[in-house]
Amino acid sequence: MADSKPLRTLDGDPVAVEALLRDVFGIVVDEAIRKGTNASEKVCEWKEPEELKQLLDLELQSQGHPRFFNQLFSGLDPHALAGRIITESLNTSQYTYEIAPVFVLMEEEVLKKLRALVGWNTGDGVFCPGGSISNMYAINLARFQRYPDCKQRGLRALPPLALFTSKECHYSITKGAAFLGLGTDSVRVVKADERGKMIPEDLERQISLAEAEGSVPFLVSATSGTTVLGAFDPLDAIADVCQRHGLWLHVDAAWGGSVLLSRTHRHLLDGIQRADSVAWNPHKLLAAGLQCSALLLRDTSNLLKRCHGSQASYLFQQDKFYNVALDTGDKVVQCGRRVDCLKLWLMWKAQGGQGLEWRIDQAFALTRYLVEEIKKREGFELVMEPEFVNVCFWFVPPSLRGKKESPDYSQRLSQVAPVLKERMVKKGTMMIGYQPHGTRANFFRMVVANPILVQADIDFLLGELERLGQDL
């Protein structure tokens, strides 16, 4: 864990943040509103792709620019917010080079950087409207790769298919199976251990079972950072199973993918380089702002375009005067597509990889602090030792302490979190999620992800729970 911030970075500085955003808005007013609506200005200032790349300095470095690092007091990243202001103002679509030349090249560069962190020096990818859609893309691509006829012939070209994921997976996997016509019955649920990790031996068993029942296994979706417990599936062991059976391995790292930026903690995703596809949401842990969700592919055979392309002749003409491979819109199922790369690119340019790494390491360090404080305080009990930034714990009020053996203990404990949630929300002091899990009574799930959290915030949180629950 880095002990201090990277060189030339600052704590949350609202004055500097406001100055930055005022500058950005001034540029937007000048360029997008005044010049953009002036008929005497050129419609576009055409640049060839290679020339534009030279002008832009698209490369993402390990260190950021000294004037471009502030952590916003509200928890938003100011550079990502600046990117969102710019893209909203320009209101362009990401389907062809001629309509969004800078953003087409920028998306290519950002996706290349994310793939490199996964461990691939080639591949493909696209920004999607959220991690759920990224997961659905992966299922569709895996199916098309196995049965390319299904693009034309539909479901009648397919035998009964089976995909596999753990019981801790995100609900978008079953939603995706329903949406794509596979049906939720095609999703085979693999057991997870007590920490929420998929059990590879049960995956093997489920594959054999599906085959015995006449289904054809085609995909395994592993999870890196489960929603509730923050668990990381054992990717190397799962990749071994996929390799033996010839299955597509998708890794849903929507939540946990940003850990790849940390040299200290990236071991949690060991084996991710063996995946065929990865979903990663920088709008979560990196605070890039909604929406910023990447689907990354190891494939180099233009699978995205082969699977989804429809060659619309009014948009994707093949006789254009520039390289039409830069018209990426036919890779996706959308037509109009928002620019989601700028906010991440701008944040990365400003902070550098080291600044983003510090953000991840700091979240882990504060998580550790919260865990140690929970252990010290009477009335707080960890559900389990976290390996990520999800801290699951019970607050046991005075009336229940020492009563664990009583028959109605679990039922009474389950009623505590909803009461405290109502009190904190109505008082307006904080908001923490709670849920039951398996046989476990309702517990709180504190997610330590806001980049401007400090130890004093953790102290307040625990003290406030004690104050709110002292009469229970």
Side-chain angles (χ1 to χ4, degrees):
M1 222 297 293
D3 294 323
S4 57
K5 290 194 171 185
L7 197 59
R8 301 181 303 193
T9 65
L10 301 170
D11 282 325
D13 182 346
V15 176
V17 167
E18 187 176 326
L20 168 72
L21 294 177
R22 284 185 186 280
D23 286 347
V24 167
F25 200 69
I27 293 166
V28 166
V29 169
D30 194 44
E31 295 290 333
I33 299 172
R34 289 192 191 127
K35 291 183 183 173
T37 57
N38 187 340
S40 66
E41 295 281 341
K42 282 185 175 181
V43 171
C44 79
E45 192 74 52
W46 179 261
K47 301 288 179 194
E48 292 295 326
E50 289 309 313
E51 185 188 357
L52 193 54
K53 282 181 189 175
Q54 294 302 315
L55 286 170
L56 287 172
D57 181 24
L58 286 166
E59 189 186 351
L60 295 168
Q61 310 277 357
S62 65
Q63 291 193 334
H65 192 285
R67 290 175 299 167
F68 272 160
F69 198 105
N70 300 283
Q71 290 178 302
L72 191 56
F73 56 95
S74 68
L76 277 171
D77 181 276
H79 309 100
L81 178 57
R84 289 154 71 194
I85 291 169
I86 292 165
T87 50
E88 288 301 310
S89 306
L90 292 175
N91 195 34
T92 192
S93 181
Q94 182 94 25
Y95 37 58
T96 62
Y97 179 77
E98 63 193 294
I99 200 83
V102 172
F103 299 136
V104 164
L105 298 180
M106 191 176 280
E107 182 177 65
E108 189 181 74
E109 185 66 30
V110 172
L111 291 169
K112 178 179 159 190
K113 190 75 177 179
L114 296 178
R115 283 196 304 268
L117 286 162
V118 168
W120 304 330
N121 38 15
T122 55
D124 203 353
V126 72
F127 279 95
C128 299
S132 292
I133 305 297
S134 298
N135 289 339
M136 292 179 199
Y137 265 98
I139 296 169
N140 199 41
L141 290 163
R143 178 173 68 176
F144 174 81
Q145 190 197 49
R146 178 73 69 94
Y147 296 103
D149 276 6
C150 74
K151 181 176 178 181
Q152 184 177 342
R153 297 184 55 226
L155 298 180
R156 67 177 181 269
L158 301 171
L161 295 178
L163 61 141
F164 305 83
T165 192
S166 89
K167 72 182 187 69
E168 299 289 322
C169 77
H170 190 258
Y171 63 84
S172 58
I173 304 298
T174 48
K175 275 200 171 198
F179 183 70
L180 293 166
L182 295 167
T184 56
D185 284 353
S186 68
V187 180
R188 305 298 178 108
V189 179
V190 181
K191 287 177 184 170
D193 64 19
E194 71 287 347
R195 295 195 54 81
K197 298 168 179 286
M198 186 192 288
I199 300 172
E201 294 76 15
D202 193 60
L203 171 61
E204 192 82 63
R205 191 182 71 81
Q206 293 283 357
I207 292 168
S208 302
L209 196 59
E211 287 172 337
E213 291 170 6
S215 291
V216 178
F218 77 107
L219 171 137
V220 174
S221 179
T223 312
S224 290
T226 60
T227 309
V228 177
L229 301 177
F232 288 77
D233 286 344
L235 300 180
D236 262 323
I238 292 167
D240 289 343
V241 175
C242 290
Q243 204 171 322
R244 276 198 295 279
H245 294 273
L247 306 182
W248 181 289
L249 173 56
H250 173 62
V251 177
D252 174 5
W255 177 215
S258 298
V259 177
L260 289 169
L261 281 152
S262 166
R263 287 162 295 183
T264 308
H265 300 288
R266 63 170 292 138
H267 63 87
L268 291 168
L269 295 105
D270 280 352
I272 196 168
Q273 74 283 356
R274 299 176 65 187
D276 295 285
S277 56
V278 172
W280 177 353
N281 289 6
H283 71 229
K284 289 193 163 81
L285 192 55
L286 283 184
L290 283 167
Q291 61 199 23
C292 190
S293 175
L295 174 74
L296 308 171
L297 295 177
R298 192 156 47 119
D299 174 80
T300 53
S301 71
N302 218 5
L303 187 66
L304 268 169
K305 195 165 183 179
R306 289 188 291 117
C307 181
H308 301 125
S310 61
Q311 296 88 45
S313 58
Y314 74 94
L315 196 55
F316 304 117
Q317 306 92 333
Q318 296 304 293
D319 53 0
K320 290 183 180 179
F321 63 95
Y322 60 83
N323 177 6
V324 294
L326 292 165
D327 290 353
T328 55
D330 220 15
K331 289 179 176 184
V332 296
V333 293
Q334 299 161 262
C335 179
R337 184 161 69 91
R338 309 171 48 105
V339 174
D340 288 328
C341 59
L342 176 61
K343 62 194 95 144
L344 178 57
W345 181 86
L346 207 53
M347 180 172 78
W348 207 310
K349 267 290 192 189
Q351 302 195 20
Q354 288 179 8
L356 297 179
E357 178 180 32
W358 181 87
R359 178 172 286 181
I360 304 302
D361 288 348
Q362 181 68 359
F364 274 90
L366 276 173
T367 300
R368 204 63 250 145
Y369 178 76
L370 172 58
V371 167
E372 296 310 319
E373 286 299 307
I374 283 173
K375 288 175 180 174
K376 284 180 198 169
R377 295 188 185 221
E378 189 187 3
F380 289 89
E381 188 185 335
L382 280 174
V383 173
M384 64 178 61
E385 282 279 343
E387 63 176 348
F388 194 20
V389 295
N390 305 35
V391 182
C392 299
F393 65 93
W394 289 284
F395 175 72
V396 183
S399 66
L400 285 179
R401 290 173 197 168
K403 305 274 178 67
K404 223 172 211 175
E405 302 310 314
S406 63
D408 63 346
Y409 177 82
S410 186
Q411 182 199 344
R412 287 173 65 195
L413 182 61
S414 220
Q415 294 165 359
V416 173
V419 171
L420 292 183
K421 177 69 179 272
E422 182 182 359
R423 288 179 179 183
M424 72 175 76
V425 170
K426 288 184 173 173
K427 195 176 169 191
T429 48
M430 57 190 190
M431 201 180 287
I432 316 172
Y434 73 85
Q435 64 282 302
H437 186 267
T439 58
R440 297 178 176 113
N442 278 326
F443 55 83
F444 286 112
R445 178 189 50 145
M446 171 66 184
V447 179
V448 185
N450 188 325
I452 52 97
L453 277 177
V454 292
Q455 289 186 359
D457 298 310
I458 303 294
D459 295 337
F460 174 83
L461 167 121
L462 297 174
E464 182 69 353
L465 283 174
E466 287 170 337
R467 286 186 289 275
L468 293 171
Q470 64 190 352
D471 63 332
L472 294 179

